[in-house]
């Protein structure tokens, strides 16, 4: 979650939520990477981009220091982000709900209302080759700094593919 003044609501089709377990490592990195990619593509002003965790342990806290350092080295600023927990209302506000791993996805499916008409899936599915067996962004919390570099590599690759997909989807809907 980024703290800022209240702006007019953005339609769900242009709203993207990245979800992990704690909202202090992977999903804040995905939020920051995707925001930068969208800015560079001139799309950021059309989008609402956020992140959340399925757990509540880190609500209100800044991202993990290791995620901030790894992100900053590649030009992503996570300093203003604060942890929040996924809420049932997120399924009304966001069309695109992208989970980092299968456990996150299973938890989200448990919260998903029957009338949710958006896309709930794994972020890396957008970058998958047809034979890709592992579509997860692995949890780096209990590992070393190299885990955060891997997370960034996977997220940068997958968000590029997702941005292309979203761009095409919005053009198809006549929203760009
Ligand atoms: P994240 O990583 O889901 O990528 O934010 C974790 C952060 C905290 C914990 C686990 C994973 N934790 O157990 O507190």
């Amino acid at each position: 979650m980024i703290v800022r003044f209240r702006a007019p609501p953005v339609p769900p089709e242009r709203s993207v939520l990245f979800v992990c377990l704690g909202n202090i490592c992977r999903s804040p990195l995905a939020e920051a990477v995707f925001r930068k990619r969208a800015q560079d593509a001139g799309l950021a002003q059309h989008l609402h981009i956020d992140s959340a965790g399925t757990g509540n342990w880190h609500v209100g806290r800044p991202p993990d220091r290791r995620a901030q350092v790894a992100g900053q080295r590649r030009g992503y600023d996570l300093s203003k982000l604060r942890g929040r927990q996924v809420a049932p209302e997120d399924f009304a506000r966001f069309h695109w709900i992208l989970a980092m791993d299968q456990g996150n996805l299973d938890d989200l499916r448990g919260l998903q209302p029957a009338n949710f008409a958006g896309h709930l899936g794994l972020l890396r599915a957008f970058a998958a080759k047809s034979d890709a067996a592992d579509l997860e962004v692995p949890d780096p919390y209990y590992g070393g700094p190299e885990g955060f570099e891997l997370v960034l590599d996977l997220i940068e690759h997958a968000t590029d593919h997702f941005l292309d997909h979203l761009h095409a989807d919005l053009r198809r809907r006549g929203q760009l």
Side-chain angles (χ1 to χ4, degrees):
M1 176 177 70
I2 193 160
V3 181
R4 58 163 58 142
F5 60 85
R6 201 169 280 278
V10 174
E13 296 77 22
R14 290 195 261 127
S15 298
V16 182
L17 182 67
F18 297 98
V19 179
C20 63
L21 179 60
N23 193 213
I24 55 168
C25 297
R26 292 165 292 174
S27 61
L29 282 167
E31 176 183 349
V33 168
F34 186 67
R35 181 172 288 113
K36 176 91 167 22
R37 299 293 215 249
Q39 280 164 353
D40 292 347
L43 281 176
Q45 75 273 22
H46 299 290
L47 304 177
H48 175 54
I49 304 166
D50 199 359
S51 66
T54 56
N56 66 358
W57 312 284
H58 303 286
V59 170
R61 302 230 185 100
D64 187 287
R65 184 84 203 132
R66 297 165 296 171
Q68 293 205 46
V69 168
Q72 198 163 30
R73 266 205 300 268
R74 298 194 195 192
Y76 308 114
D77 179 16
L78 278 66
S79 63
K80 296 185 188 65
L81 304 182
R82 296 294 178 268
R84 78 162 175 94
Q85 190 175 24
V86 174
E89 307 82 71
D90 286 323
F91 289 90
R93 293 167 55 217
F94 294 91
H95 179 93
W96 303 97
I97 301 182
L98 304 180
M100 297 298 123
D101 67 30
Q102 192 60 45
N104 310 145
L105 184 57
D106 292 344
D107 289 343
L108 287 164
R109 285 197 174 126
L111 293 171
Q112 176 186 346
N115 64 355
F116 176 63
H119 175 100
L120 172 61
L122 292 171
L123 168 64
R124 287 188 63 204
F126 287 96
K129 303 271 189 296
S130 56
D131 61 351
D134 177 11
L135 295 179
E136 298 192 311
V137 179
D139 185 347
Y141 188 68
Y142 292 105
E146 69 285 354
F148 288 81
E149 297 303 324
L150 173 63
V151 163
L152 271 165
D153 289 343
L154 297 173
I155 285 174
E156 285 181 333
H157 182 65
T159 50
D160 277 347
H161 285 264
F162 173 60
L163 187 62
D164 287 347
H165 181 93
L166 179 60
H167 199 172
D169 182 79
L170 293 176
R171 288 173 97 116
R172 205 166 36 239
R173 292 173 193 268
Q175 290 205 12
L176 284 181

